[in-house]
Amino acid sequence: MSGITLVNQVKSSKFLSGLLQPVANAFVNAAGYRKLGLRYDDVLREETDIIREAVNRLPDNEGYERVYRMKVAFQYSLSHTIATKDTALKPEDDVRYLTPIIDEVAAEFAEKEDFNNIKSYSK
């Protein structure tokens, strides 16, 4: 999860935030995961060790809700339908529940990697 990010600069600038917010909203609507009842963190790939570990650290109730949302989305996909406006996920309900845990696990993995790469210079 490391890399160059301009999130803080965009959020602090009214001009950039106002310019990019409609683009971001259009992108989220085009992605369509909310129409299936999914949250943003539900569509993250679980192929990396960091995300897999973060999913394992979820509280039980949040893990069950995640699995339920995925099953409902899979059913929508099988039936070639989408959720109605009443049942589709609203933007205010699309909270990042997994991202803070991912950041924590990534920091732990980086710390572990740094610790494993310490070289001893004693003679």
Side-chain angles (χ1 to χ4, degrees):
M1 290 285 166
S2 64
I4 298 174
T5 179
L6 299 174
V7 172
N8 294 333
Q9 289 82 358
V10 170
K11 285 184 177 180
S12 65
S13 169
K14 277 191 160 189
F15 174 73
L16 288 175
S17 180
L19 183 69
L20 294 177
Q21 192 61 46
V23 175
N25 291 339
F27 178 77
V28 168
N29 288 333
Y33 62 86
R34 288 183 184 162
K35 295 175 186 173
L36 297 175
L38 295 172
R39 293 181 181 174
Y40 173 78
D41 286 345
D42 293 336
V43 297
L44 295 176
R45 297 180 307 154
E46 295 182 34
E47 296 173 0
T48 66
D49 293 334
I50 293 173
I51 295 180
R52 210 172 303 128
E53 178 64 28
V55 169
N56 288 338
R57 291 186 187 184
L58 280 174
D60 287 341
N61 63 336
E62 191 65 49
Y64 294 141
E65 290 174 6
R66 176 184 168 92
V67 170
Y68 175 75
R69 286 191 302 270
M70 289 185 178
K71 285 184 178 183
V72 168
F74 187 65
Q75 186 62 39
Y76 281 134
S77 178
L78 284 176
S79 62
H80 299 288
T81 60
I82 57 174
T84 62
K85 289 201 180 235
D86 301 344
T87 58
L89 190 71
K90 293 164 185 52
E92 57 271 7
D93 295 332
D94 190 8
V95 294
R96 305 292 192 264
Y97 66 94
L98 190 59
T99 303
I101 300 172
I102 291 172
D103 294 340
E104 179 182 304
V105 171
E108 289 175 11
F109 276 38
E111 182 180 357
K112 182 178 178 182
E113 184 67 28
D114 290 344
F115 184 75
N116 289 338
N117 290 331
I118 292 176
K119 294 184 176 152
S120 176
Y121 292 105
S122 60
K123 293 181 181 180

